[in-house]
Amino acid sequence: MRGTPPPSRIGWSLMARITLKLTRPVDPAALPKAPSSRARRALGGRKATRAPPPEAAATPSPRHPNPDDPRLSKRMSELGLCSRREADAWIENGWVKVDGKVVTTLGTRVSPDAHIDVEPAATRHQSEQVTILLNKPVGYVSGQPEDGHQPAMVLITPESRWSGDPSPTRFTPGHLRGLAPAGRLDIDSTGLLVFTQDGRVAKRLIGHDSDVEKEYLVRVEGPLSDEGLRLLQHGLALDGVQLKPARVSWQNEHQLRFVLREGRKRQIRRMCEQVGLTVTGLKRVRSGGVALGALPVGRWRYLRHDERF
C-alpha cells in the first residue's frame, strides 16, 4: 500500500524507540529508599541476609560408599583386637589407622578387607588393664544392686584380697575403674566370678560366639533316672531354644558335675527342674582354663599372666 514504509524503515523505527527508553534519565524519587536507622532499630538492628541457594541449603553429610560395611569398632572387635567400647576410646584418642590413615570419627564404616593398625599406646593401655577373680558368696548379685542386695563388686577391696594371691600386682583404686563382671552367678549361687577391664577377656567369656567351658558342682535333691541324666546331657530346651550338649555326671550321691558351653539365665536350675530335681547348692569351679582352686569364699585375686580362659 502507498504510504507504508519499507521493512527496513520499520526496523530502524523500533530500534530508535527502544534506545530512547534505555537512555531516558531515571527519576531518583521513583527508586525505593533504603530503610532509615530508626526502621533498622525497629527491626532489631539486624541486617538483611541473603538466603542460601536451594542446592546449598541441604548438603548431605558424606557417607561411606557402602552402608552395609561394618563400623570400625565392630570390625576391631571381630578381629579380636579389643571390645567395641575399647575401640571407641582408641578411635577418639587417635590410636587407630585404617589403610594408613588415622580415623577419629566414631561410627566410621570400613571395608571388611581394610587394613587396621593400632598404635603402641593402645597396646600399653590394654596391658595395664586387670582381671580379678572373686569367690562370690551367696546373697550377692553379679551386676547392679537389685531388691536391696549388694553387688559382688563391693567385696573387691584391699582388705579382702586373698593373702595367698601369687600376683605381684599392687592394688590401686584405678583397678576398679571400668571393672565389670564377665558373666553372672545367681544370688543363691557361689563360686568363680570374673571381673575385668579388658574387653578381650569379656568377649572371650560372654561374647555371642563364646564357647568357653564353665564347670559347676551342683547339689540336688530328688531321684534322677538314666533317661533324666541323658536329657540333662542333651535334649532339653529353654524358652523354646534347644540347649547345646552338656557334660553331666554324678560327682557323688548328692552332687552333679555340669560342664556347659553356654550361660542362659538360671540355666542349671531350670534344667534340673525339668527332670524332677531341686537344686540346693550351686558352685562354679572353673571358667575355661582358670580354676577357682583354693580361693576362699568372699576373697579375690588377680588373674596371673600365665592363665588363659
Side-chain angles (χ1 to χ4, degrees), residues 28-161:
L31 294 174
K33 295 182 178 181
S36 65
S37 59
R38 179 179 299 178
R40 287 198 298 270
R41 288 195 297 272
L43 293 172
R46 294 189 302 271
K47 294 183 179 180
T49 57
R50 181 177 298 176
E55 63 274 10
T59 304
S61 58
R63 298 180 62 187
H64 191 272
N66 187 354
D68 294 328
D69 282 348
R71 297 186 188 279
L72 176 55
S73 58
K74 181 180 179 181
R75 184 59 182 147
M76 291 171 66
S77 175
E78 291 173 346
L79 294 173
L81 298 174
C82 58
S83 69
R84 295 179 70 168
R85 184 174 63 178
E86 284 178 322
D88 286 341
W90 293 2
I91 292 167
E92 288 183 317
N93 286 331
W95 294 342
V96 181
K97 290 183 180 180
V98 177
D99 293 332
K101 296 182 179 179
V102 175
V103 175
T104 58
T105 303
L106 297 180
T108 299
R109 296 187 181 275
V110 298
S111 171
D113 58 357
H115 184 72
I116 300 173
D117 287 312
V118 178
E119 292 293 323
T123 305
R124 288 194 298 270
H125 174 264
Q126 206 168 47
S127 66
E128 295 168 357
Q129 296 174 324
V130 299
T131 296
I132 287 175
L133 312 177
L134 170 71
N135 188 344
K136 186 187 88 67
V138 170
Y140 289 84
V141 294
S142 301
Q144 297 298 318
E146 55 184 75
D147 299 328
H149 296 287
Q150 289 185 302
M153 189 169 168
V154 302
L155 298 173
I156 303 176
T157 64
E159 295 76 22
S160 61
R161 182 178 181 179

Side-chain angles (χ1 to χ4, degrees), residues 55-308:
E55 63 274 10
T59 304
S61 58
R63 298 180 62 187
H64 191 272
N66 187 354
D68 294 328
D69 282 348
R71 297 186 188 279
L72 176 55
S73 58
K74 181 180 179 181
R75 184 59 182 147
M76 291 171 66
S77 175
E78 291 173 346
L79 294 173
L81 298 174
C82 58
S83 69
R84 295 179 70 168
R85 184 174 63 178
E86 284 178 322
D88 286 341
W90 293 2
I91 292 167
E92 288 183 317
N93 286 331
W95 294 342
V96 181
K97 290 183 180 180
V98 177
D99 293 332
K101 296 182 179 179
V102 175
V103 175
T104 58
T105 303
L106 297 180
T108 299
R109 296 187 181 275
V110 298
S111 171
D113 58 357
H115 184 72
I116 300 173
D117 287 312
V118 178
E119 292 293 323
T123 305
R124 288 194 298 270
H125 174 264
Q126 206 168 47
S127 66
E128 295 168 357
Q129 296 174 324
V130 299
T131 296
I132 287 175
L133 312 177
L134 170 71
N135 188 344
K136 186 187 88 67
V138 170
Y140 289 84
V141 294
S142 301
Q144 297 298 318
E146 55 184 75
D147 299 328
H149 296 287
Q150 289 185 302
M153 189 169 168
V154 302
L155 298 173
I156 303 176
T157 64
E159 295 76 22
S160 61
R161 182 178 181 179
W162 181 36
S163 60
D165 185 0
S167 172
T169 303
R170 185 174 63 87
F171 176 82
T172 69
H175 291 167
L176 300 178
R177 192 175 305 118
L179 195 68
R184 57 179 294 124
L185 276 173
D186 299 329
I187 190 171
D188 299 324
S189 302
T190 185
L192 182 61
L193 185 59
V194 179
F195 291 85
T196 187
Q197 295 176 322
D198 192 333
R200 295 170 301 175
V201 173
K203 184 175 186 295
R204 173 82 174 130
L205 290 176
I206 58 176
H208 71 278
D209 56 349
S210 173
D211 62 350
V212 174
E213 286 187 347
K214 282 90 171 180
E215 183 177 345
Y216 303 82
L217 297 180
V218 185
R219 186 171 294 276
V220 295
E221 290 181 352
L224 179 64
S225 65
D226 291 341
E227 175 63 14
L229 182 60
R230 186 188 65 78
L231 287 172
L232 288 175
Q233 293 168 344
H234 193 211
L236 297 178
L238 293 178
D239 303 320
V241 179
Q242 189 77 21
L243 296 175
K244 295 179 181 179
R247 300 207 309 271
V248 184
S249 59
W250 283 106
Q251 183 77 6
N252 55 52
E253 59 178 331
H254 300 295
Q255 192 166 252
L256 288 167
R257 173 178 172 270
F258 280 73
V259 179
L260 307 180
R261 287 184 178 271
E262 59 187 333
R264 309 286 298 281
K265 186 175 181 180
R266 299 181 69 86
Q267 178 173 337
I268 292 177
R269 296 177 187 274
R270 296 166 68 191
M271 289 172 68
C272 288
E273 288 174 1
Q274 291 191 37
V275 296
L277 293 176
T278 300
V279 174
T280 60
L282 190 152
K283 180 180 182 180
R284 181 156 61 207
V285 296
R286 178 174 64 87
S287 288
V290 178
L292 181 65
L295 184 63
V297 176
R299 300 293 178 176
W300 64 270
R301 70 174 178 88
Y302 287 105
L303 181 74
R304 300 194 310 268
H305 291 300
D306 62 329
E307 291 180 303
R308 297 290 182 272

